[in-house]
Amino acid sequence: GAVVSQHPSWVICKSGTSVKIECRSLDFQATTMFWYRQFPKQSLMLMATSNEGSKATYEQGVEKDKFLINHASLTLSTLTVTSAHPEDSSFYICSAKSGRGVETQYFGPGTRLLVL
Amino acid sequence: RKEVEQDPGPFNVPEGATVAFNCTYSNSASQSFFWYRQDCRKEPKLLMSVYSSGNEDGRFTAQLNRASQYISLLIRDSKLSDSATYLCVVNFIDTDKLIFGTGTRLQVFP
């Protein structure tokens, strides 16, 4: 199946710093990528939909100025958590679509963020 | 009310048991339905799609009742390796968005 990578796999940072997470589709071109967040014992929540070459579409309640998304190429999307705070500590997962249909959406391995 | 609701469990069952998970969704515009599996600290992985006529994949059987907005997953002959969280997922018409349930945790013991 298609492969999606994320980097870094985990990060620990001090409160107030910014953290960038990369999501790459390794063997296919992804016009659409999605960013999710999952808190412990909770569901994956969609944060935003990222389309190559255009602005991301954010879900209700997600601050676009805090979670900056850049989809610069067909194989790379980045999520930057600006001025991270302890409440931003979570598991961030991206997914990328390789074609039409939900079954073509592949998930990255996730990035675990801990803000001290 | 949550868009996708599941019993969080955990379901603790012995090897070889049959276990069933249920899920309800609130939006009648939901078009596609899936079961994903998520291991601890890992990304979710597609287990199977769910079709109106019901479908089976080996030991796994999925059912959909659109009238009741209800989805189920049946696992027969449980294996230790089936231990994971099972996520009920719906997709709305004309969108690629996936709406995840909170998941049902399954623990299979020897």
Side-chain angles (χ1 to χ4, degrees):
Chain A
V3 179
V4 176
S5 71
Q6 277 185 245
H7 177 80
S9 55
W10 59 269
V11 60
I12 301 173
C13 69
K14 291 182 180 179
S15 186
T17 59
S18 293
V19 176
K20 180 186 280 190
I21 302 170
E22 292 186 349
C23 177
R24 293 182 185 271
S25 55
L26 297 184
D27 52 358
F28 65 97
Q29 293 184 328
T31 54
T32 304
M33 290 185 173
F34 303 88
W35 287 96
Y36 296 83
R37 179 169 54 181
Q38 186 177 33
F39 293 107
K41 298 189 177 182
Q42 293 189 27
S43 175
L44 272 79
M45 296 297 296
L46 180 64
M47 299 175 67
T49 301
S50 167
N51 291 296
E52 187 266 338
S54 64
K55 290 184 179 180
T57 303
Y58 290 81
E59 294 299 303
Q60 191 173 10
V62 178
E63 299 175 57
K64 62 180 181 180
D65 294 330
K66 180 166 182 66
F67 299 99
L68 302 179
I69 291 173
N70 185 295
H71 194 153
S73 75
L74 288 171
T75 59
L76 173 64
S77 176
T78 60
L79 167 69
T80 300
V81 183
T82 61
S83 187
H85 290 284
E87 58 266 28
D88 298 322
S89 300
S90 188
F91 190 41
Y92 291 86
I93 307 175
C94 73
S95 69
K97 278 183 56 64
S98 66
R100 301 189 69 174
V102 175
E103 294 88 343
T104 62
Q105 190 172 147
Y106 297 95
F107 285 84
T111 296
R112 201 160 292 279
L113 170 64
L114 177 61
V115 185
L116 302 177
Chain B
R1 182 184 171 188
K2 292 179 183 175
E3 290 186 275
V4 181
E5 295 209 54
Q6 294 181 252
D7 180 344
F11 284 60
N12 296 305
V13 303
E15 273 187 290
T18 295
V19 62
F21 304 138
N22 302 320
C23 167
T24 57
Y25 59 95
S26 60
N27 193 327
S28 59
S30 301
Q31 180 183 35
S32 305
F33 308 89
F34 309 89
W35 283 101
Y36 277 71
R37 170 193 169 129
Q38 185 175 27
D39 292 287
C40 189
R41 295 177 176 267
K42 301 281 189 180
E43 76 275 21
K45 295 188 177 177
L46 179 63
L47 181 65
M48 59 195 302
S49 301
V50 187
Y51 304 117
S52 297
S53 55
N55 49 298
E56 190 174 303
D57 183 1
R59 298 181 293 109
F60 300 84
T61 301
Q63 297 275 356
L64 167 65
N65 184 321
R66 285 188 185 269
S68 302
Q69 295 182 195
Y70 173 92
I71 305 160
S72 66
L73 176 67
L74 183 78
I75 304 176
R76 290 182 299 278
D77 189 24
S78 298
K79 312 290 184 192
L80 294 175
S81 57
D82 293 334
S83 298
T85 296
Y86 290 82
L87 304 168
C88 177
V89 183
V90 305
N91 165 244
F92 299 141
I93 292 174
D94 295 331
T95 176
D96 290 324
K97 292 182 187 178
L98 297 179
I99 308 300
F100 286 80
T102 50
T104 299
R105 189 162 160 244
L106 171 66
Q107 184 67 50
V108 181
F109 58 87

